[in-house]
Amino acid sequence: MGGTMALFCLSLLISIIGSNAAGEFSVLHSPESLKFSGSSKVGESLLKEIFSACFGLSVEENSDWNGLSIVDPFNTPEAIVEVYIEGVSGLGNAAHLDAKNYPLVVDEYEPDTFAEIRHRLKQRFTNGGNILVDVKLSEPGEFQSYSEVFGNVAPLKVTKQSLQHLKLNVEEDYQFLAELEALKAFINKVQSGAVSPDNIVDFYNFRFRSLHALSDFHGPKSLQAKEAKKLLGEALEDLSKAFVKAYDGSVLVTAVTTDVAHTRRAVRAAIEPRDEVTQDDDAYSADYAAIFNIILWFGVVFTFTLVAIVYAIMDMDPGRDSIIYRMTNTRMKKDN
């Protein structure tokens, strides 16, 4: 019973997250062998299946989503590029992206599309040779790990540029601009010929995190947020053009936006009351994950067990032989 209740609670939690989080799956460029049509919603958990189908790999999860058609299964894209943007439900019209957009349903907690695609490609192509890049743009110290693919990658210096509303002396603005310059550095590398087609499929994932904090600080409808989305949209256009040229058009370029981080933060704030004076806001115990799961699932199982017991007692037939019947019978016999 505990296992069933745990599964039910997990499904309920995912449903709550999905219903409170919006997102968008955007196709910036697709080769002629693929056709994206319609405007139906797509689950975030389905993205790994979509990318697998585009690569011609086996699909492990069936779905009735009809937004993708494989026009030419013998000419699948040689590369797929995904830009994952946290903290916003979409880039909106400010981005000026000529893209095919689909509403994204966040139906999976902490999905890792890159890890799953990497696993499937390694199973399929046992000889290796695939370029598998997972770039966290907020961590420039790790860029050298991609030097075999792109060469020496150093983020461009953050300058004032022609900014209208964003300011370098505002931490949230600066972090966004730093990530933007890091993305531009990779774009420059692709434009310079760092990658080229070799008949072996490749997968690139770029993770953009700072737009979340900027949107929270200034407001999602602020002039700063609109300018940030516009700048990021322009960078995505340049990224798409660079990869299309590098792979001679045989590339699928996508962007995924999701504001599920807001839901996660609200849930975490509700279940993690912490001492504001003695404990740092970003400090977590090493045992936090284990303790949290023990308390959470014990509470879930205990609550539903208690409800089941109460319901069973309420529906119980005491019968004529129960002590309740014998003590309340007005015709009880007396000993002579």
Side-chain angles (χ1 to χ4, degrees), residues 82-100:
E82 178 192 32
V83 183
Y84 192 91
I85 305 165
E86 295 183 10
V88 293
S89 59
L91 296 180
N93 296 329
H96 298 295
L97 288 174
D98 183 17
K100 184 66 178 176

Side-chain angles (χ1 to χ4, degrees), residues 264-314:
R264 292 175 187 154
R265 184 182 60 184
V267 173
R268 186 172 65 244
I271 63 178
E272 295 179 27
R274 291 178 288 173
D275 190 337
E276 296 180 357
V277 177
T278 60
Q279 189 172 9
D280 184 77
D281 284 345
D282 294 322
Y284 290 88
S285 166
D287 299 324
Y288 161 74
I291 295 173
F292 168 77
N293 277 280
I294 290 172
I295 295 175
L296 172 65
W297 295 119
F298 174 79
V300 169
V301 173
F302 179 80
T303 300
F304 281 92
T305 301
L306 182 61
V307 170
I309 292 173
V310 171
Y311 182 83
I313 292 175
M314 291 173 59

Side-chain angles (χ1 to χ4, degrees), residues 21-43:
E24 194 169 64
F25 172 57
S26 301
V27 179
L28 310 184
H29 175 270
S30 63
E32 295 181 356
S33 59
L34 305 176
K35 181 180 179 181
F36 286 88
S37 58
S39 58
S40 57
K41 294 181 180 180
V42 57

